Amino acid sequence: MSIVQLEVPEEVLISLKETPETISRELSILAAVKLFEIGKLSSV
């Protein structure tokens, strides 16, 4: 598995009241959903 790193300003975490772990998990899910929507990821 590959690792993708994103820099998220501390202000974003504070304003969303989330931890880096939570944001990481949510962004992974959102990316997977978007890739599925645009046909780059299948459910098979």
Side-chain angles (χ1 to χ4, degrees):
M1 183 184 298
S2 297
I3 295 174
V4 176
Q5 291 184 320
L6 295 172
E7 290 187 26
V8 178
E10 191 69 28
E11 295 82 18
V12 172
L13 298 175
I14 292 168
S15 67
L16 294 175
K17 297 180 177 137
E18 298 289 355
T19 65
E21 294 79 14
T22 302
I23 291 294
S24 175
R25 189 170 46 252
E26 288 183 8
L27 287 175
S28 294
I29 292 168
L30 290 169
V33 168
K34 188 61 179 180
L35 289 170
F36 182 79
E37 283 178 357
I38 63 173
K40 298 283 185 171
L41 187 66
S42 77
S43 61
V44 179

